[in-house]
Amino acid sequence: MKLKKNILLTLIVFLISIKCYSINQEKSLSIIPQPVSIVKNNEKDFVVDKNIIIAISENSEELNFIANQLALRLRDYLSTDVNINQINRKNKHNSILLIKENIPGLGNEGYILDVNRKQITIRGTHNGVFYGLQTLYQMFPLKNDLINKSKFSIPSYTIIDKPRFEWRGGMLDVARYFQPVSVVKRYIDFLALHKINTFHWHLNDDQGWRIEIKKYPKLTEVGAWRKDSQLELSGKQMAFAPHGGYYTQEEIKDVVKYAAERFISVIPEIEMPGHSYAALASYPELSCTGGPFEVSTIWKVHEDIYCAGNEKTYEFLENILSEVIELFPASYIHIGGDEAPKTRWEACPKCQAKIAAEHLDNEHELQTYMVKRMEDFLATKNRKLIGWDEIIEGGLSPNATVLCWRGFDGAITAAKQGHDAIIAHSKYTYLDHYQSEPYLEPLAWAGLVPYGYTTLQKSYSLEPIPSELNESEQKHIIGLQAQLWLEYIRTTDHMDYMLFPRLSALAEVMWTQKEQKNWEFFKWKMETQYRRYNELNINYSMSAYTVYFDIKTDSLSNKALVSLSTDNYNPTIRYTINGDDPTENSDKYSQPFTVILPLTIKAANFNNGQRISKINQKTILKSRIGK
């Protein structure tokens, strides 16, 4: 047994140290995110039945929680309770062993999952065992596929795995539309299932303040409520009912504990100096003009922000952060820093006096001064500062970490200066963007439409490390993060629709080694993943089945070459060119074809004779050839 273990450890070190990984293309296991190594064992499957035992290597709070989570999942399958014991000599057969162990080469989050005919073993740190369990769940059969409800089989494999990036994040904006604790916990569950370890909680903005601060009760008495929500759609104004809500400090503690049990750190965001309209509605004396203000009902960048020349502003923010730090044990505090217009500062005597007194060159350096003061204060509380990439403007605060949403430039600048950076590139990671043609989709943020929407493939194609960085600088790209802004998302069903399936794609970008990523293989895995969504009652988008057109026109012949594609595996595309809606009897697409203009082409995806996508269409007129 000892010899076998030594051989396995040698194999681990070898797999982790080499730069080239082989991609499992046998299409037998749908594991998302893709592990480092999957090896089929030459043994029979492991059979799970009502006599199954879960055994843990230590009586720790962490392993007991993990074991209880597994027991709940097994009970859901077997309709019976499962015993949890300490590991002993009797745990040789019909057992799932959860073993806490530091394994060389796998770090704090790697794991080994071994399935043979006698038992299943998951080994790693507490974090690693938890992540190994998320992989094991994906090896369970789908419940709808079970023939015998009293037992099921798990295929015999050995999986060795570790994440590519340290920071794997998901951001949820509850400032625009408040979400109850139950919805926040559901979001955390989604992160955990995808091996995402950081929950970035956007707790305040112009449209609402969502966290109880005992020293400043007006923040929730006033700032947590707005009279309505106004949206613009097709040139028309849409208004919704008054809206509001906030989390008590006890509720915050409950969410933080819930996340920690799932090995997720919660990073609070307290926006400053901009996106502070709700706070200024509560305490207008902290603005440059004195107000009055109302909590914003529209989605825009407001010129009124915290007055950076007023010492009372710093006292206010430090007192808030002091209470926040007591609630959130994570080492990072997010202070926003984005989209802060300097118009009010330019005209404010206090701000101009502060610029002169501190020998600053301009208002951008005044924001850096403000960020630096916040960073210094957080350091006294043993916390690190993180902010959106605008904090680079005017010079980056010495120890700040940058969350880069506007592209790769901020990350490149930060890394070259020796600062850590996290990729949150809006074109890939903003899950409030349209997923396909806007006219086929529910209301979403339209800012990217001129440049293309954020499809499943677009999110999956993200490579977080810019090629402009050398090997040393690349180490400062510590991870990436998915963002779910809620300006246009009010309901849980709509949240699901925008999150999935793109969260699965970004999870693979976060966790999986670059050499292991494979778009065609991922599409195949997603066919099983969609069925998992169904079992979890997730209202996911089927936009990946939308048919897209690539049309190359020839103005001389009035002809066009038409190519059709989708983001799903092995599609069956039916199309028409006579204006009729496609059916299961319409022409099947197999390769690019030539058409005579003008025409209207319609296309859709089919499975077993049933249409599984919305009908996309394109009309091309002779007069618009070549445009």
Side-chain angles (χ1 to χ4, degrees):
M1 182 67 181
K2 186 176 181 181
L3 178 61
K4 182 179 179 181
K5 183 176 180 180
N6 289 337
I7 293 173
L8 184 57
L9 289 175
T10 302
L11 175 62
I12 293 165
V13 173
F14 173 73
L15 285 170
I16 299 303
S17 64
I18 60 174
K19 298 295 182 182
C20 182
Y21 301 84
S22 61
I23 296 174
N24 184 322
Q25 294 287 8
E26 65 180 54
K27 294 186 174 61
S28 54
L29 289 181
S30 170
I31 306 295
I32 296 175
Q34 182 68 20
V36 169
S37 169
I38 301 177
V39 178
K40 184 77 173 74
N41 295 327
N42 188 25
E43 291 196 29
K44 293 181 179 179
D45 293 348
F46 178 80
V47 177
V48 179
D49 59 26
K50 294 187 177 183
N51 297 313
I52 188 76
I53 294 173
I54 301 171
I56 56 178
S57 64
E58 61 180 28
N59 189 26
S60 65
E61 183 178 342
E62 293 87 352
L63 275 192
N64 275 299
F65 175 81
I66 295 169
N68 277 300
Q69 291 290 299
L70 175 57
L72 288 173
R73 181 66 65 97
L74 291 171
R75 190 181 190 283
D76 192 36
Y77 271 77
L78 301 172
S79 299
T80 188
D81 291 329
V82 176
N83 291 326
I84 301 173
N85 300 326
Q86 291 280 112
I87 291 178
N88 55 53
R89 292 181 181 179
K90 296 179 181 180
N91 302 136
K92 291 184 178 180
H93 301 283
N94 206 28
S95 300
I96 301 177
L97 310 181
L98 306 179
I99 301 173
K100 196 269 184 182
E101 181 179 351
N102 294 316
I103 303 173
L106 294 187
N108 188 49
E109 296 182 304
Y111 64 90
I112 300 172
L113 167 60
D114 184 68
V115 182
N116 58 51
R117 63 184 178 84
K118 294 182 179 180
Q119 63 187 23
I120 297 174
T121 305
I122 303 176
R123 297 163 53 208
T125 63
H126 291 140
N127 306 58
V129 172
F130 182 78
Y131 294 134
L133 189 60
Q134 308 316 306
T135 295
L136 179 63
Y137 290 155
Q138 295 181 76
M139 298 171 72
F140 282 20
L142 291 157
K143 284 188 289 185
N144 289 336
D145 293 341
L146 290 179
I147 299 173
N148 186 339
K149 301 295 184 180
S150 64
K151 64 179 180 180
F152 62 92
S153 297
I154 298 177
S156 180
Y157 282 90
T158 297
I159 296 175
I160 303 172
D161 201 9
K162 63 177 287 190
R164 180 184 181 190
F165 289 106
E166 167 192 347
W167 183 294
R168 306 181 304 282
M171 189 280 293
L172 179 63
D173 162 27
V174 295
R176 276 48 180 266
Y177 281 104
F178 175 76
Q179 302 297 325
V181 167
S182 60
V183 174
V184 175
K185 288 181 175 180
R186 186 169 183 266
Y187 181 81
I188 289 170
D189 286 338
F190 291 155
L191 299 184
L193 284 171
H194 289 81
K195 303 186 178 80
I196 294 173
N197 64 4
T198 304
F199 170 37
H200 171 184
W201 206 356
H202 188 79
L203 286 165
N204 73 289
D205 214 296
D206 296 315
Q207 294 78 22
W209 186 280
R210 305 294 178 218
I211 176 173
E212 177 190 22
I213 302 297
K214 295 186 183 296
K215 192 174 184 66
Y216 300 107
K218 288 183 182 179
L219 286 171
T220 46
E221 292 171 1
V222 176
W225 312 93
R226 62 175 182 262
K227 62 183 181 181
D228 57 32
S229 310
Q230 298 178 19
L231 309 179
E232 288 188 6
L233 181 63
S234 301
K236 296 180 180 180
Q237 200 90 20
M238 298 176 62
F240 295 98
H243 180 79
Y246 66 92
Y247 307 101
T248 67
Q249 293 197 0
E250 290 306 308
E251 287 175 320
I252 294 285
K253 292 175 184 177
D254 179 46
V255 169
V256 169
K257 179 177 182 293
Y258 187 88
E261 289 172 337
R262 290 151 182 81
F263 301 93
I264 293 174
S265 296
V266 184
I267 310 299
E269 181 178 1
I270 305 298
E271 280 270 18
M272 62 183 82
H275 289 288
S276 50
Y277 222 68
L280 296 180
S282 309
Y283 296 93
E285 65 272 18
L286 300 177
S287 70
C288 292
T289 65
F293 308 101
E294 289 185 342
V295 178
S296 181
T297 63
I298 57 176
W299 320 133
K300 62 173 284 188
V301 175
H302 292 272
E303 291 187 344
D304 287 284
I305 63 177
Y306 288 121
C307 178
N310 185 350
E311 280 300 309
K312 290 186 180 299
T313 297
Y314 298 96
E315 178 185 349
F316 174 78
L317 293 173
E318 288 176 3
N319 286 335
I320 288 173
L321 291 177
S322 292
E323 291 194 32
V324 168
I325 287 166
E326 290 299 313
L327 299 171
F328 295 91
S331 57
Y332 287 93
I333 301 291
H334 198 302
I335 56 90
D338 62 312
E339 296 180 326
K342 308 303 188 289
T343 306
R344 297 290 187 254
W345 289 1
E346 291 168 357
C348 175
K350 289 182 180 179
C351 289
Q352 293 303 309
K354 181 67 73 175
I355 289 173
E358 298 296 333
H359 307 290
L360 307 174
D361 288 340
N362 52 42
E363 289 73 23
H364 290 293
E365 289 194 4
L366 180 58
Q367 180 167 339
T368 299
Y369 166 83
M370 188 179 200
V371 171
K372 178 65 168 60
R373 283 191 60 167
M374 292 300 105
E375 182 181 62
D376 290 345
F377 173 76
L378 291 173
T380 68
K381 305 288 187 178
N382 197 29
R383 295 294 192 276
K384 300 181 218 176
L385 180 144
I386 184 170
W388 299 107
D389 54 54
E390 284 93 334
I391 67 174
I392 294 175
E393 298 169 2
L396 192 56
S397 192
N399 298 306
T401 297
V402 185
L403 190 58
C404 304
W405 72 279
R406 296 183 297 177
F408 292 112
D409 289 348
I412 294 168
T413 299
K416 286 186 176 294
Q417 293 179 10
H419 295 271
D420 287 344
I422 300 156
I423 302 300
H425 196 314
S426 62
K427 290 184 180 180
Y428 301 88
T429 72
Y430 272 36
L431 303 184
D432 58 324
H433 291 166
Y434 283 104
Q435 300 179 68
S436 70
E437 299 282 3
Y439 81 94
L440 298 174
E441 297 287 316
L443 182 63
W445 190 75
L448 275 190
V449 169
Y451 309 102
Y453 23 78
T454 305
T455 63
L456 180 65
Q457 184 176 17
K458 182 74 173 179
S459 290
Y460 191 81
S461 69
L462 173 61
E463 169 46 45
I465 297 183
S467 59
E468 293 87 344
L469 300 179
N470 62 35
E471 187 173 349
S472 175
E473 294 163 345
Q474 288 176 11
K475 295 177 182 178
H476 287 290
I477 306 300
I478 62 173
L480 62 148
Q481 183 169 284
Q483 281 60 236
L484 186 63
W485 300 102
L486 297 190
E487 287 98 331
Y488 302 107
I489 303 172
R490 293 180 294 142
T491 67
T492 304
D493 276 355
H494 198 177
M495 283 179 60
D496 285 5
Y497 187 92
M498 303 307 287
L499 277 171
F500 296 103
R502 293 178 295 185
L503 185 65
S504 293
L506 289 172
E508 186 143 308
V509 179
M510 295 177 195
W511 179 280
T512 300
Q513 307 300 324
K514 180 180 179 180
E515 297 83 358
Q516 287 289 91
K517 280 183 61 187
N518 183 289
W519 169 240
E520 292 299 321
F521 189 36
F522 178 77
K523 287 194 295 183
W524 175 82
K525 293 189 295 184
M526 283 305 302
E527 296 303 309
T528 300
Q529 191 79 334
Y530 293 130
R531 299 184 65 202
R532 294 184 186 124
Y533 295 163
N534 289 331
E535 291 200 346
L536 292 171
N537 295 315
I538 294 173
N539 181 46
Y540 63 94
S541 167
M542 293 189 67
S543 300
Y545 290 87
T546 299
V547 179
Y548 300 106
F549 306 107
D550 181 10
I551 301 176
K552 296 180 172 60
T553 58
D554 182 349
S555 58
L556 296 178
S557 64
N558 279 328
K559 292 182 179 180
L561 182 67
V562 178
S563 299
L564 307 179
S565 64
T566 76
D567 280 358
N568 74 292
Y569 180 75
N570 196 25
T572 299
I573 300 173
R574 304 282 182 178
Y575 68 93
T576 64
I577 57 175
N578 61 1
D580 292 342
D581 288 348
T583 69
E584 67 272 21
N585 297 317
S586 299
D587 289 341
K588 181 180 178 180
Y589 176 77
S590 58
Q591 61 184 18
F593 56 93
T594 301
V595 295
I596 299 175
L597 302 178
L599 90 159
T600 295
I601 182 168
K602 295 185 177 183
N605 225 322
F606 287 79
N607 184 36
N608 295 325
Q610 299 295 315
R611 180 164 61 83
I612 56 174
S613 76
K614 295 177 181 177
I615 297 172
N616 200 3
Q617 68 179 56
K618 194 89 162 180
T619 298
I620 306 176
L621 304 174
K622 289 183 181 180
S623 61
R624 297 187 63 82
I625 291 176
K627 294 185 181 180

